[in-house]
Amino acid sequence: MLIKRAPMFKASEITDLKLYCNRREFMVGAAALALFPTVAAATSTPSGQPLKATRNPAFNNSDAATKFESATTYNNFYEFGVNKEDPARLAHTLRPRPWTVQVDGHVAKPKTYDVNDLLRLSPLEERVYALRCVEGWSMVIPWIGFPLASLLKRVEPTGQAKFVEFTTLLDPEQFPAQRKGLLNFSSLDWPYVEGLRLDEAMHPLTLLTVGMYGQVLPNQNGAPIRVVVPWKYGFKSAKSIVRIRLVSDQPKTAWEKAQPQEYGFYSNVNPMVDHPRWSQASERRIGEFLRRKTPMFNGYADQVGSLYAGMDLRKYF
Amino acid sequence: MSRRARILLKSVVWILCLLPLVVLGYRAATGDLGANPISFVTNWLGQWTFRLLLLTVALTPIRVLFGISWPISLRRLLGLFAFSYACLHFSIWILVDHFFNWDQMIADIVKRRYITVGMLALTLLVPLAVTSTNAMVRRLGGAAWRRLHRLVYVVGVLAALHFLWLAKKGRIDPYVYAAILSLLLGIRLWDAVRRALRKRRHEQAAKEPALA
């Protein structure tokens, strides 16, 4: 565990909580609440509502947090479209309640959780992580969640469990880009599948995430529940998860299927191993002018370096 | 076309070609460039370069297909605007994105094929811009000048590759641009073949009476 106490990020750096991104749901929810109080409580979207969590000072970042507005309007979430502004524009189509997450595979106690129960499974903590996108930009985000390990331990992985596979919701009604387009064109094979090695999934840094910036996770950031794996490129952190399966074979991930020569299973942030089409040596921090050097494992080398001891990271990119 | 009409037409084209810069300036002034402004500006300028390039290349096919030839008089203006946007696009990359990090840039030009072809396209536009004046057309002679300026098709292909190779999977627009370019090149090719055949027929027709 970290002993070093990094300076707390300034609260003033974080934009005020805004209902901006969820104004439509908010208005609909408010109207529904006025008309049918009991129904509304069950069906309204909680995104944007404040979410209490205790800040964990062991997981902090000395850099200022990215503006909330940037973190919620500049997103890669292909289920909504390939452009950065698509997720924020179309996020209202996703309904994060009711929602269940099936946890199964090689486990002694498989279980399907209601997301509301998952929120109460373990104390929620706030952690400030750096997020590095494979495209060469980065953000600093205060997430809210708890270690994925807490959930995995409850279902008791068996000896056969070697990997964890995450599946994102498949529903063209809620994810417009999952509809078949012109000439059956589709950016990726749906549903989106991601995966981690079991030790990566059990690592204390791997966060099962339900909120950010002091509020319930906005739809465009992967509501209602996602993982955040800060030492890997952003696309490894699956969003809007409906199934967590423990498996014995390495899962075939969505981006690996789409472009195996460009996106490997590991996809650890590594300034020494370039993407075939661009350099990974530097990144643009959203909100900053000059590029900055990308640190090994996105700055988490001390914590996760040992997971990859002796591995050829060029081969296992 | 009268002199006044020509001046009016060119003024309108000037304004239209400057409009993307005005819009960009307005968005910059109102803080509407998104979370990643440098990337936004680079893409914006690159896209307008490509659009103007396609427009420039489209003028001859328009004449071939529809017999409308007055747009040809705008070709130089549009071509020079395409070149200007290409220069701005390049400047943002060199001055702002990499901020004079020459080592990184040279490494990128050599190693990243989308940057290699992009640089090549810009380089090939330079002799076209330099020889765009009337004096240069006279100096080179019409035939040589035309041959040189066919380089614009090479530039078009390089620009299409640049866009296709840099874009992430799932984007459709690079394919749309490439398709439009292919269509325009196809029309020119078809026209060239047609003219070559006609010329041969004329030559044969000219020979036949002598044989008779």
Side-chain angles (χ1 to χ4, degrees):
Chain A
M1 201 56 47
L2 275 178
I3 320 164
K4 192 180 86 176
R5 233 188 98 101
M8 305 282 271
F9 73 99
K10 282 174 272 172
S12 63
E13 299 289 349
I14 301 173
T15 311
D16 289 346
L17 304 184
K18 282 180 196 165
L19 290 171
Y20 173 78
C21 297
N22 306 94
R23 57 198 184 281
R24 291 186 186 87
E25 286 84 345
F26 178 76
M27 293 304 289
V28 170
L33 195 64
L35 292 170
F36 318 100
T38 47
V39 180
T43 57
S44 71
T45 305
S47 300
Q49 289 176 4
L51 186 64
K52 276 205 165 50
T54 317
R55 185 169 301 160
N56 186 336
F59 302 94
N60 218 326
N61 195 303
S62 53
D63 297 328
T66 303
K67 280 197 295 183
F68 175 78
E69 196 201 345
S70 297
T72 50
T73 56
Y74 193 77
N75 307 103
N76 277 326
F77 198 165
Y78 269 44
E79 281 80 348
F80 289 118
V82 296
N83 300 309
K84 299 278 188 301
E85 58 278 10
D86 290 338
R89 191 166 52 84
L90 299 166
H92 61 274
T93 59
L94 176 66
R95 297 185 302 271
R97 291 293 188 289
W99 193 283
T100 57
V101 182
Q102 183 183 351
V103 188
D104 62 346
H106 294 303
V107 294
K109 295 178 175 168
K111 186 174 174 181
T112 298
Y113 289 88
D114 187 278
V115 74
N116 293 322
D117 298 334
L118 275 179
L119 270 133
R120 288 187 283 268
L121 198 73
S122 191
L124 295 181
E125 45 182 283
E126 181 175 67
R127 299 178 175 194
V128 185
Y129 281 164
L131 168 78
R132 170 64 154 81
C133 178
V134 71
E135 295 167 353
W137 52 268
S138 62
M139 295 183 180
V140 173
I141 298 179
W143 301 106
I144 294 172
F146 57 82
L148 176 64
S150 311
L151 171 65
L152 295 181
K153 279 175 198 156
R154 274 172 191 262
V155 294
E156 294 174 15
T158 67
Q160 282 168 289
K162 300 281 182 266
F163 294 90
V164 182
E165 181 191 82
F166 305 93
T167 307
T168 297
L169 174 72
L170 172 66
D171 183 359
E173 291 284 307
Q174 298 190 58
F175 284 140
Q178 288 179 341
R179 291 170 207 156
K180 287 278 182 229
L182 190 69
L183 309 168
N184 272 347
F185 179 87
S186 191
S187 52
L188 292 170
D189 268 349
W190 310 114
Y192 192 87
V193 170
E194 253 311 332
L196 295 170
R197 231 167 48 189
L198 186 59
D199 58 345
E200 295 175 327
M202 296 294 284
H203 193 279
L205 274 172
T206 302
L207 196 69
L208 194 64
T209 304
V210 293
M212 63 187 227
Y213 294 84
Q215 56 176 272
V216 171
L217 203 59
N219 288 359
Q220 61 267 41
N221 295 89
I225 193 157
R226 63 173 297 173
V227 282
V228 174
V229 193
W231 71 95
K232 292 174 180 282
Y233 294 119
F235 69 90
K236 289 295 296 179
S237 297
K239 305 188 189 84
S240 303
I241 296 169
V242 291
R243 189 176 188 194
I244 298 174
R245 192 161 68 110
L246 286 98
V247 293
S248 50
D249 297 321
Q250 183 175 304
K252 199 81 180 151
T253 67
W255 277 104
E256 237 186 322
K257 267 193 268 180
Q259 287 177 308
Q261 69 287 358
E262 298 196 1
Y263 305 100
F265 175 79
Y266 284 92
S267 289
N268 292 316
V269 176
N270 189 339
M272 265 98 78
V273 178
D274 287 346
H275 184 277
R277 291 186 283 142
W278 55 81
S279 165
Q280 295 291 28
S282 68
E283 67 198 47
R284 167 150 295 110
R285 177 64 53 82
I286 295 303
E288 288 181 0
F289 179 75
L290 291 179
R291 285 179 162 270
R292 44 163 83 206
K293 282 195 163 37
T294 294
M296 188 66 198
F297 294 118
N298 204 24
Y300 301 97
D302 290 348
Q303 293 97 309
V304 300
S306 58
L307 294 176
Y308 311 102
M311 268 177 80
D312 179 357
L313 296 178
R314 277 183 193 284
K315 191 176 166 207
Y316 298 100
F317 61 88
Chain B
M1 202 187 293
S2 74
R3 188 180 147 74
R4 271 183 65 182
R6 242 190 350 255
I7 291 172
L8 186 70
L9 180 66
K10 290 206 173 165
S11 311
V12 170
V13 172
W14 262 91
I15 291 168
L16 289 178
C17 288
L18 285 172
L19 212 53
L21 285 184
V22 174
V23 172
L24 190 63
Y26 177 77
R27 293 186 70 149
T30 54
D32 189 23
L33 297 178
N36 196 345
I38 295 171
S39 161
F40 181 92
V41 172
T42 311
N43 294 339
W44 179 274
L45 293 171
Q47 273 180 12
W48 280 103
T49 303
F50 207 168
R51 284 171 196 167
L52 286 166
L53 194 67
L54 287 177
L55 205 57
T56 311
V57 174
L59 301 181
T60 302
I62 286 172
R63 184 180 63 187
V64 168
L65 288 184
F66 309 111
I68 308 169
S69 54
W70 62 262
I72 302 283
S73 67
L74 300 170
R75 192 162 54 184
R76 170 163 56 193
L77 188 54
L78 288 171
L80 285 171
F81 263 113
F83 177 65
S84 310
Y85 274 89
C87 290
L88 286 173
H89 174 63
F90 173 71
S91 312
I92 292 290
W93 178 68
I94 211 161
L95 303 179
V96 182
D97 198 356
H98 284 283
F99 203 68
F100 302 100
N101 186 345
W102 299 105
D103 295 346
Q104 179 74 56
M105 277 187 296
I106 289 164
D108 275 352
I109 291 169
V110 177
K111 203 173 166 190
R112 322 270 158 228
R113 55 183 189 166
Y114 81 90
I115 296 176
T116 316
V117 294
M119 279 299 300
L120 194 59
L122 179 65
T123 313
L124 291 180
L125 277 178
V126 174
L128 305 192
V130 169
T131 59
S132 65
T133 61
N134 288 337
M136 277 309 246
V137 180
R138 275 195 301 276
R139 233 171 99 182
L140 286 170
W145 186 89
R146 269 198 299 279
R147 220 176 302 137
L148 174 67
H149 278 250
R150 275 188 207 128
L151 267 181
V152 75
Y153 295 110
V154 179
V155 172
V157 172
L158 292 172
L161 288 176
H162 174 66
F163 198 9
L164 285 167
W165 285 344
L166 77 86
K168 59 184 186 180
K169 188 176 159 39
R171 272 185 77 166
I172 302 172
D173 42 345
Y175 295 96
V176 174
Y177 282 78
I180 293 171
L181 180 74
S182 310
L183 181 71
L184 296 173
L185 282 174
I187 295 168
R188 292 243 39 191
L189 193 68
W190 166 73
D191 184 50
V193 170
R194 197 179 57 159
R195 277 197 302 193
L197 289 175
R198 196 189 299 154
K199 194 175 161 196
R200 194 194 293 170
R201 248 194 330 258
H202 275 295
E203 281 168 2
Q204 277 172 354
K207 278 180 209 158
E208 271 160 19
L211 289 169

